[in-house]
Amino acid sequence: DPKIIQKPKYLVAVTGSEKILICEQYLGHNAMYWYRQSAKKPLEFMFSYSYQKLMDNQTASSRFQPQSSKKNHLDLQITALKPDDSATYFCASSQEGHNYAEQFFGPGTRLTVL
Amino acid sequence: GDSVTQKEGLVTLTEGLPVMLNCTYQTIYSNAFLFWYVHYLNESPRLLLKSSTDNKRTEHQGFHATLHKSSSSFHLQKSSAQLSDSALYYCALSYYGNEKITFGAGTKLTIKP
């Protein structure tokens, strides 16, 4: 059974629209993250949440808003979509408090903005 | 800020030859953790190796790496490449008390018969 679920797997959107990327983890972790991987670029840290509270935000644009309705959920709302937002978005989780930040990644959502 | 450098963007090797992927890092924190993540096509990135102990070799699935704090390096090695090793390899950095991981640019390793 998949431990981290991301929905949808593929998403096509038009410029200016709004989308929500879903992430649920069933590893019992208390910390969750979002990463982005654009074409020909490395994995880029976006947000970290711990116990449903925002801990770190490395995304300059307010168009990206994480939403945590439950401890094991961390969705990503993206508004006013632009073609440059096209990327694969990975959700990850870890058990905070361990002496290393080993993170487990979901399968990703590939977003294409036309 | 923290940074991770992977000089080689693409590495192509013949099966059976040794693998060495370079990784150097910069951080002001002495309690750094270094990682190698592997990302196979159409799969999720997953942890391959990790270390926080200076000069101690760590091994997993035939790969090994040694953290050298004096040279800020954490190179990934394997004695004999296999076709199934073809993937994207990320070196990454974190430190105790920080949940954010800083990834390098990644090295795409392609193994040919």
Side-chain angles (χ1 to χ4, degrees), chain A:
Chain A
D1 291 334
K3 302 298 185 183
I4 301 181
I5 296 171
Q6 288 190 245
K7 294 183 287 190
K9 187 173 182 180
Y10 300 99
L11 185 58
V12 179
V14 296
T15 297
S17 66
E18 172 183 316
K19 293 293 180 185
I20 295 179
L21 310 184
I22 305 295
C23 177
E24 304 170 11
Q25 57 92 2
Y26 296 93
L27 294 165
H29 290 161
N30 53 26
M32 297 184 70
Y33 316 85
W34 278 102
Y35 288 84
R36 172 171 54 193
Q37 184 174 33
S38 305
K40 300 184 180 180
K41 290 185 179 180
L43 279 167
E44 175 190 2
F45 174 89
M46 299 179 73
F47 299 99
S48 67
Y49 264 66
S50 176
Y51 294 99
Q52 294 184 264
K53 292 183 179 179
L54 179 66
M55 301 302 291
D56 197 353
N57 177 357
Q58 296 291 322
T59 303
S61 174
S62 60
R63 296 186 299 107
F64 294 84
Q65 290 293 328
Q67 300 170 341
S68 181
S69 59
K70 298 180 184 178
K71 177 184 173 183
N72 66 327
H73 284 226
L74 185 63
D75 300 335
L76 181 63
Q77 179 186 41
I78 313 174
T79 58
L81 279 161
K82 302 177 180 180
D84 280 350
D85 298 331
S86 297
T88 299
Y89 291 81
F90 289 99
C91 176
S93 70
S94 71
Q95 186 62 22
E96 192 184 57
H98 284 194
N99 61 358
Y100 55 83
E102 179 176 359
Q103 295 181 11
F104 296 82
F105 285 78
T109 291
R110 184 175 293 181
L111 172 66
T112 302
V113 183
L114 304 175

Side-chain angles (χ1 to χ4, degrees), chain A residues 37 42 96 99 102-103 106-107, chain B residues 33 37 44 47 90 99 101 104:
Chain A
Q37 184 174 33
E96 192 184 57
N99 61 358
E102 179 176 359
Q103 295 181 11
Chain B
F33 285 92
Y37 276 80
S44 310
L47 184 66
Y90 287 103
E99 302 297 336
I101 295 181

Side-chain angles (χ1 to χ4, degrees), chain B residues 9-70:
Chain B
L10 294 169
V11 172
T12 302
L13 294 170
T14 302
E15 187 179 17
L17 291 181
V19 177
M20 181 162 173
L21 306 183
N22 287 295
C23 172
T24 56
Y25 64 93
Q26 284 189 316
T27 180
I28 62 172
Y29 298 97
S30 59
N31 57 349
F33 285 92
L34 270 295
F35 309 85
W36 277 100
Y37 276 80
V38 59
H39 191 182
Y40 294 102
L41 189 63
N42 297 323
E43 294 185 12
S44 310
R46 61 179 175 84
L47 184 66
L48 178 62
L49 291 172
K50 61 183 184 289
S51 180
S52 61
T53 305
D54 198 12
N55 297 316
K56 181 180 178 181
R57 173 170 162 149
T58 183
E59 300 187 37
H60 186 60
Q61 294 185 332
F63 287 90
H64 63 92
T66 302
L67 176 58
H68 292 295
K69 293 187 178 183
S70 61

